[in-house]
Structure formats: structure tokens, C-alpha cells
Amino acid sequence: MIIINADRKVNLADVEQEHLTYYKKKLVRKLDTLISKKGLHHKKVYRYLKDHIEEILIGKPRVLKGIIEHMITVLMIEFDENTRKHALYKILVKIFNYSNFVDRYPPSKWGAYQFVSRLNVKVCPYCNRQYIFMICETKGKTRGKLDHFYDKATYPYLALSMYNLIPCCGICNSDLRGSDPFTVDTHLNPYMEDFGGLFKFSVAMKNGDDLRPGDTSQIDYLLGVGDEFDIVIKDSCMDLDLKQRVENNLSVFKIRELYNMHKDYVVDLIKKRVIYSDTQIDELFKKYGGKLFASREDVIATIVSNYVTDQNLDKRVLSKLTKDISEELNLNLV
């Protein structure tokens, strides 16, 4: 998994302000109307939601966790298949109207299309395997799906919470995640965390040998029938809670299984490493530096046809895999 806005070129505070400006007054007005009604049940719930509307709309994932805990432990509000039939649930779904949000297209002031566009997320942060470009034209519209990190069916009051809306691909959102319960204590939220340097893709040779960078004898071995190795996740993490959360993400989104369908991509990386020695890379940078390449990193990115630094992993598919395997092959940036 990769982090959203890794290069920090998008100011999330600006997106927060747009989201808050559009929704705060509208939601407060709806809640005030309910609070003013005589004899209406659950006024404490509506008052709490009104008093914490900013935290609900733009609170970080752990702030949202606190909202959930207060609703459950103090206000005794928890929704399941049975309680979703109650009037309160239906009212909250209507107040925090997600359907209206996803159906709002430009030139409307704010909606799902504007939100995804402002975040400038190009690749699914959950899997880093699918592009999620946005197009919004009169005769054709498409954008990344929006996954609710905290399930909106269980927490309807978080249906419009900015940091609960994860732009992602349809495979991760619908085919794999479904309604699996996520929390910040069980899974990684890509606004806050990624696999980083502690969890890396690696090549595991099925005969038990280590991958030896630059050793051409292994190329024939790898190209035999194409499955003499596995793509695995190696970790150097000492934090057991983090390890478990990463494992939960890997399991839900079938990362190991899906990435082992990209063995041909790894074989291409290995071949490129054999073809391009460190000396050749240095010579290319010396010859074309300042013209085609701004840095040695640019040379390597061109050779492997992908980005190889953390701040660019959200710009192209399979970039995390490329970076990790390139490092394993000793494609040094310096």
C-alpha cells in the first residue's frame, strides 16, 4: 500500500477547507431542524453530531475513531442489520447524504468528482496496481471509486468524512474489500500510512538460492517456465501491532496473490539490471545529464520505466514493486 499525496504537492488543508465550507452549514442546518422538533427521539445524538461536525467532516482517522467510540459507549448508538431498520438510521443516512455527494458533477461546486480531482490521486493506494484517472465530460464520466474506511453502512454519520473517503480501484473496493470492517487499529489508512521501507517486495527463488544482482546465469533459470520464483513481502518491522495491520491489508486486498501474477514484470527488471551496469548508468547520466536527466534517479527511472523514490510512488502503477526490486538488484540511486 502507498500513501496518498506522497510528494505533498496537494495541500490537504486546502481540500479540507473546501469540504468543510461546502458541508458544514448544510449539515448544521439539517441537525438544527431535527433538534428543534418537539417529541423527537435521539436529540442527544443530533446535538453531539452538530457539536462535532468539523471533526466528523475533516477529522483524521483516529479522531473519527473517537467519534465512533462516543456514539457506541456514551450514546449507545450502534448499527447492525436489525437496527438499520430503525428511524434513526434512516434519518442519519438522509442527513449525511452520500448518494448526493457521488452524483454531483462539475460544474457543481463540490462533490465526489471535484474531491477526487483535487486530491490528484492517479493510482489505487491500496494495491498500487490500477490507475484511477478521472474524466468528467458530457458523454462520458469515470473516476476512482471511494472506499469508506469506516463502513458507511455501520457508521452512516461518517459517510461524508473526508479522511474516511479513500480513492481506489474497483477491484479493491468492490471485489475484495466489500464490507470487511476496518479500523485504524486493524488496518492501514492510506492518508496516514503506507508499507514504507519496513515492508518490501522481494524475489524468493524456489530452489532456495538468493537472487544475485548482476549474475546473468540466473536469467536463464528465471526464464525457464516463468514460475521458478515467488514475489514475497519481506519485513524488518519490530512493531507487532503494525505487522498485524499490514498483514490484514495484504490479506484483504490479496496483494501476494495478485502480485505473483506480475512475475514477467520482475523478470524484465532483472534483465534490465543485467544489461545496465552501474558504470553504464553513470555514463548515461554524464552524457545526458542536464538535458534528458535531472539526476541519476531519472536515468534509473527511465531504464525501469517507473518511479523509484518514495515521493513518486503514487504516480504510476507497480511503482512500489519496482522500487523494492530495483533496490534488491542494487540499482543504486547514488
Side-chain angles (χ1 to χ4, degrees), residues 215-230:
D215 183 353
T216 57
S217 67
Q218 285 198 329
I219 294 300
D220 291 337
Y221 176 76
L222 285 170
L223 292 179
V225 294
D227 63 352
E228 295 88 349
F229 67 96
D230 291 317

Side-chain angles (χ1 to χ4, degrees), residues 12-248:
L12 291 180
D14 291 341
V15 184
E16 289 177 9
Q17 190 57 48
E18 288 188 68
H19 196 61
L20 187 65
T21 298
Y22 183 80
Y23 273 113
K24 182 178 179 180
K25 288 183 179 179
K26 292 177 175 61
L27 295 178
V28 168
R29 191 181 308 121
K30 291 180 181 180
L31 292 166
D32 275 337
T33 299
L34 291 168
I35 293 168
S36 66
K37 288 185 177 181
K38 294 182 179 180
L40 188 68
H41 296 298
H42 303 298
K43 287 192 177 184
K44 287 184 177 180
V45 174
Y46 303 133
R47 287 195 186 98
Y48 175 77
L49 295 175
K50 175 191 170 183
D51 292 342
H52 295 82
I53 198 65
E54 288 198 16
E55 294 98 314
I56 289 170
L57 284 171
I58 60 172
K60 299 296 194 299
R62 288 206 172 273
V63 172
L64 298 182
K65 178 192 174 187
I67 298 289
I68 292 171
E69 290 174 345
H70 187 90
M71 290 285 284
I72 294 174
T73 61
V74 178
L75 298 175
M76 309 300 289
I77 300 299
E78 190 170 9
F79 295 109
D80 55 26
E81 291 185 6
N82 294 321
T83 52
R84 287 171 196 156
K85 301 173 183 177
H86 295 176
L88 174 62
Y89 182 81
K90 295 177 180 178
I91 290 172
L92 292 178
V93 169
K94 189 174 181 179
I95 293 172
F96 298 90
N97 193 334
Y98 180 70
S99 296
N100 178 264
F101 176 68
V102 296
D103 290 340
R104 294 180 63 81
Y105 310 114
S108 299
K109 289 184 177 179
W110 192 248
Y113 276 80
Q114 295 91 330
F115 175 68
V116 173
S117 177
R118 287 286 285 111
L119 287 176
N120 196 31
V121 178
K122 298 176 180 178
V123 177
C124 176
Y126 282 139
C127 70
N128 192 217
R129 294 177 59 252
Q130 302 286 331
Y131 284 112
I132 52 173
F133 294 133
M134 190 191 81
I135 296 175
C136 189
E137 299 178 357
T138 304
K139 293 186 178 180
K141 300 176 178 67
T142 185
R143 60 166 171 78
K145 303 296 183 182
L146 285 173
D147 177 57
H148 284 83
F149 187 79
Y150 295 104
D151 179 24
K152 71 178 185 299
T154 306
Y155 313 107
Y157 45 89
L158 301 182
L160 298 175
S161 302
M162 172 177 163
Y163 289 101
N164 199 37
L165 298 170
I166 313 294
C168 63
C169 68
I171 293 174
C172 287
N173 182 43
S174 302
D175 297 346
L176 299 178
R177 160 84 195 270
S179 58
D180 281 10
F182 276 23
T183 76
V184 289
D185 296 324
T186 61
H187 295 80
L188 303 185
N189 183 300
Y191 281 109
M192 303 291 109
E193 300 175 289
D194 61 4
F195 289 165
L198 295 178
F199 301 87
K200 293 186 175 185
F201 289 104
S202 179
V203 172
M205 311 301 288
K206 286 191 173 180
N207 66 350
D209 290 344
D210 291 329
L211 182 64
R212 298 182 295 277
D215 183 353
T216 57
S217 67
Q218 285 198 329
I219 294 300
D220 291 337
Y221 176 76
L222 285 170
L223 292 179
V225 294
D227 63 352
E228 295 88 349
F229 67 96
D230 291 317
I231 298 173
V232 298
I233 305 289
K234 291 184 178 179
D235 78 82
S236 56
C237 180
M238 303 301 292
D239 184 335
L240 296 181
D241 289 336
L242 176 58
K243 285 170 72 79
Q244 186 59 60
R245 288 190 293 129
V246 168
E247 183 57 41
N248 291 341

Side-chain angles (χ1 to χ4, degrees), residues 272 292-293 297-306:
K272 288 175 181 178
L292 297 180
F293 308 118
E297 168 202 327
D298 287 347
V299 181
I300 296 172
T302 299
I303 290 171
V304 300
S305 301
N306 213 323

Side-chain angles (χ1 to χ4, degrees), residues 266-319:
V266 172
V267 168
D268 284 345
L269 290 176
I270 296 171
K271 287 195 291 185
K272 288 175 181 178
R273 181 47 171 148
V274 172
I275 295 169
Y276 292 96
S277 65
D278 288 340
T279 300
Q280 288 173 303
I281 293 171
D282 290 335
E283 288 176 353
L284 286 170
F285 181 50
K286 183 178 180 179
K287 184 176 181 179
Y288 297 108
K291 298 177 182 178
L292 297 180
F293 308 118
S295 64
R296 194 175 187 276
E297 168 202 327
D298 287 347
V299 181
I300 296 172
T302 299
I303 290 171
V304 300
S305 301
N306 213 323
Y307 293 103
V308 288
T309 55
D310 290 332
Q311 65 267 29
N312 289 317
L313 296 185
D314 58 348
K315 292 181 174 62
R316 195 169 293 175
V317 297
L318 300 179
S319 54

